[in-house]
Amino acid sequence: MTKRLDVATAPGHLIRRAQQIAVGIFAQRLAEADITPVQFAILNALQDTPDIDQVTLAKRVAFDPATSGSVIGRLESKGWLRRQPHATDRRRKLLVVTQQGVEALANMQAAVADVQTQILAPLSAAEQLQFVDLLTRLVAGHEAQ
């Protein structure tokens, strides 16, 4: 007979719980900004790399391209980004952060940094560095496959 899995110590369960906790902290801290972690990641990535298309952006933030359309639509309706036609390929739409989006991002940066600090707060400084290193290696290892 196979031994029953202890869910409380299963990596998948713990990663899911950590993600729930991280999203909860983000939502609480940024409630006034009315933005989700995925919306923030998309807007932040766009500011770093302007004039990219939706598929390229979705890959950059590791998000499903089909679903990213609705997220982009919400950011567009807030006036934080706009779509513009590609110069040579009219089928492609390039995404650009608006001035209002730049200002919104600037207003959120400190709160998002605080969220990261709060997520890692139960760990010592050395453990925080190790945890982030291990997560980075875990994600990179799976993305390389």
Side-chain angles (χ1 to χ4, degrees):
M1 179 177 208
T2 307
K3 182 182 174 196
R4 188 181 68 80
L5 176 68
D6 181 8
V7 174
T9 60
H13 173 74
L14 291 169
I15 291 167
R16 182 183 64 79
R17 284 294 298 132
Q19 197 266 347
Q20 288 174 325
I21 291 165
V23 169
I25 293 169
F26 187 99
Q28 182 180 33
R29 183 67 175 86
L30 283 107
E32 216 173 277
D34 188 31
I35 191 164
T36 67
V38 171
Q39 290 172 348
F40 178 82
I42 285 176
L43 202 58
N44 199 56
L46 267 178
Q47 188 174 16
D48 293 342
T49 315
D51 298 333
I52 62 174
D53 63 83
Q54 182 175 323
V55 173
T56 304
L57 175 65
K59 287 178 188 172
R60 182 149 302 148
V61 296
F63 199 66
D64 174 49
T67 312
S68 68
S70 62
V71 175
I72 289 166
R74 285 191 290 281
L75 291 170
E76 192 173 28
S77 70
K78 291 177 183 185
W80 292 352
L81 68 79
R82 72 177 190 285
R83 301 173 210 228
Q84 63 186 33
H86 188 275
T88 58
D89 183 353
R90 291 296 196 204
R91 294 171 298 167
R92 289 179 63 205
K93 299 288 187 218
L94 301 179
L95 304 169
V96 179
V97 178
T98 65
Q99 185 57 40
Q100 187 179 352
V102 169
E103 290 167 11
L105 263 176
N107 291 334
M108 289 181 245
Q109 292 296 336
V112 173
D114 288 346
V115 167
Q116 308 316 303
T117 300
Q118 190 174 349
I119 289 167
L120 296 173
L123 304 175
S124 71
E127 289 170 332
Q128 290 177 17
L129 292 172
Q130 182 181 24
F131 180 72
V132 171
D133 177 62
L134 290 171
L135 279 177
T136 301
R137 289 170 39 203
L138 180 77
V139 170
H142 284 286
E143 286 179 343
Q145 294 177 359

